[in-house]
Amino acid sequence: MVHMTTGTTAHAADADIEAIEQVVATVEHSQQHKDPDEFLGLFHPDAVWTTGGGKVLIGLDAISEFTRRVLPAADWDGKVTYEVVHVLFIRPDVAAVKVRQLYLTPGEESEGAPLYVMSKQDDGRWLLTACQNTVVPTES
């Protein structure tokens, strides 16, 4: 994993990276278990989410409506992994987080390359704030 830190001390950056990795691990867990409540608990109330299909969702209400409709009904079997591959601290309380996402189904694998802009709250929690989920095309 590659980390770039700007404007933070190494100790603070290590703790923040661990917290960011935990958010991504919770995204993975919520997707594996198709749990909209766990997933939605990771978002800033004013978040922007762009789905892998390009649908733009602005605010937690729109993200919630979409997620509650789509996630429990997803037709994959829940085998998905998320790996933090790069963290860029834009400011000590704002990070751009590049993630590698793999959906694994019998005989098929698909990949995503989400970018999560996360913000650190006054209570120390990191929340998903502006996110773009991008599908990686398969080579033919």
Side-chain angles (χ1 to χ4, degrees), residues 60-113:
L60 189 54
D61 288 345
I63 297 166
S64 179
E65 186 279 325
F66 177 84
T67 300
R68 290 183 189 288
R69 181 172 40 84
V70 173
L71 184 57
D75 63 356
W76 51 277
D77 66 4
K79 289 187 172 73
V80 61
T81 63
Y82 287 71
E83 175 190 4
V84 174
V85 294
H86 188 81
V87 177
L88 169 63
F89 286 98
I90 298 165
R91 298 185 337 204
D93 62 342
V94 178
V97 181
K98 196 63 185 163
V99 174
R100 181 169 189 240
Q101 169 193 65
L102 293 175
Y103 285 94
L104 310 166
T105 58
E108 187 178 337
E109 180 179 296
S110 62
E111 184 175 348

Coordinates of all heavy atoms in Angstrom, one line a residue, residues 60-113:
L60 N -27.4 12.2 1.8 CA -27.6 10.9 2.4 C -29.0 10.4 2.1 O -29.1 9.2 1.9 CB -27.4 11.0 3.9 CG -27.4 9.7 4.7 CD1 -26.4 8.7 4.1 CD2 -27.1 9.9 6.2
D61 N -30.0 11.2 2.0 CA -31.3 10.7 1.6 C -31.3 10.0 0.3 O -31.9 8.9 0.1 CB -32.4 11.8 1.6 CG -32.7 12.3 3.0 OD1 -32.3 11.6 4.0 OD2 -33.3 13.4 3.1
A62 N -30.7 10.6 -0.7 CA -30.7 10.0 -2.1 C -29.8 8.7 -2.1 O -30.2 7.7 -2.7 CB -30.1 11.0 -3.1
I63 N -28.7 8.8 -1.4 CA -27.8 7.6 -1.3 C -28.5 6.5 -0.6 O -28.5 5.3 -1.0 CB -26.5 8.0 -0.5 CG1 -25.7 9.0 -1.4 CG2 -25.6 6.7 -0.3 CD1 -24.6 9.7 -0.6
S64 N -29.3 6.8 0.5 CA -30.0 5.8 1.3 C -31.1 5.2 0.4 O -31.3 4.0 0.4 CB -30.6 6.5 2.5 OG -31.4 5.6 3.2
E65 N -31.9 6.0 -0.3 CA -33.0 5.5 -1.1 C -32.4 4.5 -2.1 O -33.0 3.4 -2.3 CB -33.7 6.6 -1.8 CG -35.0 6.2 -2.6 CD -34.7 5.6 -3.9 OE1 -33.8 6.0 -4.6 OE2 -35.4 4.6 -4.3
F66 N -31.4 4.8 -2.8 CA -30.7 4.0 -3.8 C -30.2 2.7 -3.2 O -30.5 1.6 -3.6 CB -29.6 4.7 -4.5 CG -28.9 3.9 -5.5 CD1 -29.4 3.8 -6.8 CD2 -27.7 3.3 -5.2 CE1 -28.7 3.0 -7.8 CE2 -27.0 2.5 -6.1 CZ -27.5 2.4 -7.4
T67 N -29.4 2.9 -2.1 CA -28.8 1.7 -1.4 C -29.8 0.7 -0.9 O -29.7 -0.5 -1.1 CB -27.9 2.2 -0.3 OG1 -26.9 3.1 -0.9 CG2 -27.2 1.0 0.4
R68 N -30.9 1.2 -0.3 CA -31.9 0.3 0.3 C -32.6 -0.4 -0.8 O -33.1 -1.5 -0.5 CB -32.8 1.1 1.2 CG -32.2 1.6 2.5 CD -33.1 2.3 3.4 NE -32.4 3.0 4.5 CZ -31.9 2.3 5.5 NH1 -31.9 1.0 5.6 NH2 -31.2 3.0 6.4
R69 N -32.7 0.1 -1.9 CA -33.4 -0.5 -3.1 C -32.5 -1.5 -3.7 O -32.9 -2.6 -4.1 CB -33.9 0.5 -4.1 CG -34.6 0.0 -5.2 CD -35.3 1.0 -6.1 NE -34.5 2.3 -6.3 CZ -33.5 2.4 -7.2 NH1 -33.2 1.4 -8.0 NH2 -32.9 3.5 -7.3
V70 N -31.2 -1.2 -3.9 CA -30.3 -2.0 -4.8 C -29.5 -3.0 -4.0 O -29.4 -4.1 -4.4 CB -29.3 -1.0 -5.5 CG1 -28.3 -1.8 -6.3 CG2 -30.1 -0.1 -6.5
L71 N -28.9 -2.6 -2.8 CA -28.0 -3.5 -2.2 C -28.6 -4.9 -1.7 O -28.1 -5.9 -2.0 CB -27.3 -2.8 -1.0 CG -26.2 -3.6 -0.2 CD1 -25.1 -4.1 -1.2 CD2 -25.7 -2.8 0.9
P72 N -29.8 -4.8 -1.0 CA -30.3 -6.1 -0.6 C -30.7 -7.0 -1.8 O -30.8 -8.2 -1.6 CB -31.5 -5.7 0.3 CG -31.3 -4.3 0.7 CD -30.5 -3.7 -0.4
A73 N -31.1 -6.4 -2.9 CA -31.5 -7.2 -4.1 C -30.4 -7.5 -5.0 O -30.7 -8.1 -6.1 CB -32.6 -6.4 -4.8
A74 N -29.2 -7.2 -4.7 CA -28.0 -7.5 -5.6 C -28.0 -9.0 -5.9 O -28.2 -9.8 -5.0 CB -26.7 -7.0 -4.9
D75 N -27.7 -9.3 -7.2 CA -27.7 -10.7 -7.6 C -26.4 -11.4 -7.5 O -26.3 -12.5 -8.0 CB -28.3 -10.8 -9.1 CG -27.4 -10.0 -10.1 OD1 -26.4 -9.4 -9.7 OD2 -27.7 -10.1 -11.3
W76 N -25.4 -10.8 -6.9 CA -24.2 -11.5 -6.7 C -24.2 -12.2 -5.3 O -25.0 -11.9 -4.5 CB -23.0 -10.6 -6.9 CG -23.1 -9.3 -6.0 CD1 -23.8 -8.2 -6.4 CD2 -22.6 -9.1 -4.8 NE1 -23.7 -7.3 -5.3 CE2 -23.0 -7.8 -4.4 CE3 -21.8 -9.8 -3.9 CZ2 -22.6 -7.3 -3.1 CZ3 -21.4 -9.3 -2.7 CH2 -21.8 -8.0 -2.3
D77 N -23.3 -13.1 -5.1 CA -23.4 -14.0 -3.9 C -22.6 -13.4 -2.7 O -22.4 -14.1 -1.7 CB -22.9 -15.4 -4.2 CG -21.4 -15.5 -4.6 OD1 -20.7 -14.4 -4.5 OD2 -20.9 -16.6 -4.9
G78 N -22.2 -12.2 -2.8 CA -21.6 -11.5 -1.6 C -20.1 -11.7 -1.5 O -19.5 -11.2 -0.5
K79 N -19.5 -12.3 -2.5 CA -18.0 -12.4 -2.4 C -17.4 -11.2 -3.1 O -17.4 -11.1 -4.3 CB -17.6 -13.7 -3.1 CG -17.9 -15.0 -2.3 CD -17.3 -16.2 -3.0 CE -17.5 -17.4 -2.1 NZ -18.8 -17.9 -2.0
V80 N -16.9 -10.3 -2.2 CA -16.4 -9.0 -2.7 C -15.2 -8.7 -1.8 O -15.3 -8.9 -0.6 CB -17.4 -7.9 -2.8 CG1 -18.0 -7.6 -1.4 CG2 -16.9 -6.7 -3.4
T81 N -14.2 -8.1 -2.3 CA -13.1 -7.6 -1.5 C -12.8 -6.1 -1.8 O -13.0 -5.7 -3.0 CB -11.8 -8.4 -1.7 OG1 -11.3 -8.3 -3.0 CG2 -12.0 -9.9 -1.3
Y82 N -12.4 -5.4 -0.9 CA -12.0 -4.0 -1.0 C -10.6 -3.8 -0.4 O -10.4 -4.3 0.7 CB -12.9 -3.1 -0.3 CG -14.3 -2.9 -0.9 CD1 -15.2 -4.0 -0.9 CD2 -14.6 -1.7 -1.5 CE1 -16.4 -3.8 -1.5 CE2 -15.9 -1.6 -2.1 CZ -16.8 -2.6 -2.1 OH -18.0 -2.5 -2.7
E83 N -9.7 -3.2 -1.1 CA -8.3 -3.0 -0.7 C -7.9 -1.6 -0.9 O -8.0 -1.1 -2.0 CB -7.4 -3.9 -1.5 CG -5.9 -3.8 -1.1 CD -5.0 -4.5 -2.1 OE1 -5.5 -5.1 -3.1 OE2 -3.8 -4.4 -1.9
V84 N -7.4 -0.9 0.2 CA -6.9 0.4 0.1 C -5.6 0.3 -0.6 O -4.7 -0.4 -0.2 CB -6.7 1.1 1.5 CG1 -6.0 2.4 1.3 CG2 -8.1 1.2 2.1
V85 N -5.4 1.0 -1.7 CA -4.1 0.9 -2.5 C -3.3 2.3 -2.4 O -2.1 2.3 -2.7 CB -4.3 0.5 -3.9 CG1 -4.8 -0.9 -4.0 CG2 -5.2 1.4 -4.7
H86 N -4.0 3.4 -2.1 CA -3.3 4.6 -2.0 C -4.1 5.6 -1.1 O -5.3 5.7 -1.3 CB -3.1 5.2 -3.4 CG -2.2 6.4 -3.4 ND1 -0.9 6.3 -3.4 CD2 -2.5 7.7 -3.4 CE1 -0.3 7.5 -3.4 NE2 -1.3 8.4 -3.4
V87 N -3.4 6.3 -0.3 CA -4.1 7.4 0.5 C -3.3 8.7 0.3 O -2.1 8.7 0.5 CB -4.1 7.1 2.0 CG1 -4.7 8.2 2.8 CG2 -4.9 5.8 2.3
L88 N -4.0 9.7 -0.1 CA -3.4 11.0 -0.3 C -4.1 12.0 0.7 O -5.3 12.2 0.5 CB -3.5 11.5 -1.7 CG -3.2 13.0 -2.0 CD1 -1.7 13.3 -1.7 CD2 -3.5 13.4 -3.4
F89 N -3.4 12.5 1.7 CA -3.9 13.5 2.6 C -3.9 14.8 1.9 O -2.8 15.4 1.6 CB -3.2 13.5 3.9 CG -3.5 12.3 4.8 CD1 -2.7 11.2 4.8 CD2 -4.7 12.3 5.5 CE1 -3.0 10.1 5.5 CE2 -5.0 11.2 6.3 CZ -4.1 10.1 6.3
I90 N -5.0 15.4 1.5 CA -5.2 16.7 0.9 C -5.0 17.7 2.0 O -4.3 18.8 1.7 CB -6.5 16.8 0.2 CG1 -6.6 15.7 -0.9 CG2 -6.7 18.2 -0.4 CD1 -8.0 15.5 -1.4
R91 N -5.5 17.5 3.1 CA -5.3 18.3 4.3 C -5.3 17.2 5.5 O -5.7 16.1 5.2 CB -6.5 19.2 4.6 CG -6.7 20.3 3.5 CD -7.8 21.3 3.9 NE -8.8 20.8 4.8 CZ -10.0 21.3 4.9 NH1 -10.4 22.3 4.1 NH2 -10.9 20.9 5.8
P92 N -5.0 17.6 6.7 CA -5.0 16.6 7.8 C -6.4 16.0 8.0 O -6.4 14.8 8.5 CB -4.5 17.4 9.0 CG -3.7 18.5 8.4 CD -4.4 18.9 7.1
D93 N -7.4 16.7 7.6 CA -8.8 16.1 7.8 C -9.5 15.8 6.5 O -10.7 15.5 6.6 CB -9.6 17.1 8.6 CG -9.8 18.5 7.9 OD1 -9.0 18.8 7.0 OD2 -10.7 19.2 8.3
V94 N -8.8 15.7 5.4 CA -9.4 15.3 4.1 C -8.4 14.4 3.4 O -7.2 14.7 3.2 CB -9.7 16.5 3.2 CG1 -10.2 16.1 1.9 CG2 -10.7 17.5 3.9
A95 N -8.9 13.2 3.0 CA -8.1 12.3 2.3 C -8.7 11.7 1.1 O -10.0 11.5 1.1 CB -7.7 11.1 3.2
A96 N -8.0 11.6 0.0 CA -8.4 10.9 -1.2 C -7.9 9.5 -1.1 O -6.7 9.2 -0.9 CB -7.9 11.6 -2.5
V97 N -8.8 8.5 -1.2 CA -8.5 7.1 -0.9 C -8.8 6.3 -2.2 O -10.0 6.2 -2.6 CB -9.3 6.6 0.3 CG1 -8.9 5.1 0.6 CG2 -9.0 7.5 1.5
K98 N -7.8 5.7 -2.8 CA -8.0 4.9 -4.0 C -8.1 3.4 -3.5 O -7.3 2.9 -2.7 CB -6.8 5.0 -4.9 CG -7.1 4.4 -6.3 CD -8.2 5.2 -6.9 CE -8.6 4.7 -8.3 NZ -9.9 5.1 -8.7
V99 N -9.2 2.7 -4.0 CA -9.5 1.4 -3.5 C -9.6 0.5 -4.7 O -10.0 0.9 -5.8 CB -10.9 1.4 -2.8 CG1 -11.4 0.1 -2.5 CG2 -10.9 2.4 -1.6
R100 N -9.2 -0.8 -4.5 CA -9.3 -1.8 -5.5 C -10.5 -2.7 -5.0 O -10.4 -3.3 -3.9 CB -8.1 -2.7 -5.7 CG -8.2 -3.7 -6.7 CD -6.9 -4.4 -7.1 NE -7.0 -5.2 -8.2 CZ -6.8 -6.5 -8.2 NH1 -6.3 -7.1 -7.1 NH2 -6.9 -7.3 -9.3
Q101 N -11.5 -2.9 -5.8 CA -12.7 -3.6 -5.5 C -12.8 -4.8 -6.4 O -12.7 -4.7 -7.7 CB -13.9 -2.7 -5.7 CG -15.2 -3.2 -5.6 CD -16.2 -2.2 -6.1 OE1 -16.2 -1.8 -7.3 NE2 -17.0 -1.7 -5.2
L102 N -13.0 -6.0 -5.9 CA -13.1 -7.2 -6.7 C -14.4 -7.9 -6.3 O -14.6 -8.2 -5.1 CB -12.0 -8.2 -6.5 CG -10.6 -7.8 -7.0 CD1 -9.5 -8.8 -6.6 CD2 -10.6 -7.6 -8.5
Y103 N -15.3 -8.2 -7.3 CA -16.5 -9.0 -7.1 C -16.2 -10.4 -7.7 O -15.8 -10.5 -8.9 CB -17.7 -8.4 -7.8 CG -18.3 -7.2 -7.1 CD1 -17.9 -5.9 -7.4 CD2 -19.2 -7.4 -6.1 CE1 -18.4 -4.8 -6.7 CE2 -19.7 -6.3 -5.4 CZ -19.3 -5.0 -5.7 OH -19.8 -3.9 -5.0
L104 N -16.3 -11.4 -6.9 CA -16.0 -12.8 -7.3 C -17.2 -13.6 -7.3 O -17.9 -13.8 -6.3 CB -15.0 -13.3 -6.3 CG -13.8 -12.4 -6.0 CD1 -13.0 -12.9 -4.8 CD2 -12.9 -12.3 -7.2
T105 N -17.5 -14.1 -8.5 CA -18.6 -15.1 -8.7 C -18.1 -16.3 -9.4 O -17.1 -16.2 -10.1 CB -19.8 -14.4 -9.4 OG1 -19.3 -14.0 -10.7 CG2 -20.4 -13.2 -8.7
P106 N -18.8 -17.4 -9.3 CA -18.3 -18.6 -9.9 C -18.1 -18.4 -11.4 O -19.0 -17.9 -12.1 CB -19.4 -19.7 -9.7 CG -20.0 -19.2 -8.4 CD -20.0 -17.7 -8.5
G107 N -16.9 -18.5 -11.9 CA -16.6 -18.4 -13.3 C -16.5 -16.9 -13.8 O -16.3 -16.7 -15.0
E108 N -16.6 -16.0 -12.9 CA -16.5 -14.6 -13.3 C -15.9 -13.7 -12.2 O -16.1 -13.9 -11.1 CB -17.9 -14.1 -13.7 CG -17.9 -12.7 -14.3 CD -19.3 -12.2 -14.7 OE1 -20.1 -13.1 -14.9 OE2 -19.5 -11.0 -14.8
E109 N -15.1 -12.7 -12.6 CA -14.6 -11.7 -11.7 C -14.7 -10.4 -12.3 O -14.5 -10.2 -13.5 CB -13.1 -12.0 -11.5 CG -12.4 -11.1 -10.5 CD -11.0 -11.5 -10.3 OE1 -10.7 -12.5 -9.7 OE2 -10.1 -10.7 -10.6
S110 N -15.2 -9.4 -11.6 CA -15.2 -8.0 -12.1 C -14.5 -7.1 -11.1 O -14.4 -7.4 -9.9 CB -16.7 -7.6 -12.3 OG -17.4 -7.5 -11.1
E111 N -13.9 -6.1 -11.6 CA -13.1 -5.2 -10.8 C -13.7 -3.7 -10.9 O -14.2 -3.3 -11.9 CB -11.7 -5.2 -11.3 CG -10.7 -4.4 -10.5 CD -9.3 -4.5 -10.9 OE1 -9.0 -5.4 -11.7 OE2 -8.5 -3.7 -10.4
G112 N -13.6 -3.1 -9.7 CA -13.9 -1.7 -9.6 C -12.7 -0.9 -9.1 O -11.8 -1.5 -8.5
A113 N -12.7 0.4 -9.4 CA -11.6 1.3 -8.9 C -12.2 2.5 -8.3 O -12.0 3.6 -8.8 CB -10.6 1.6 -10.0

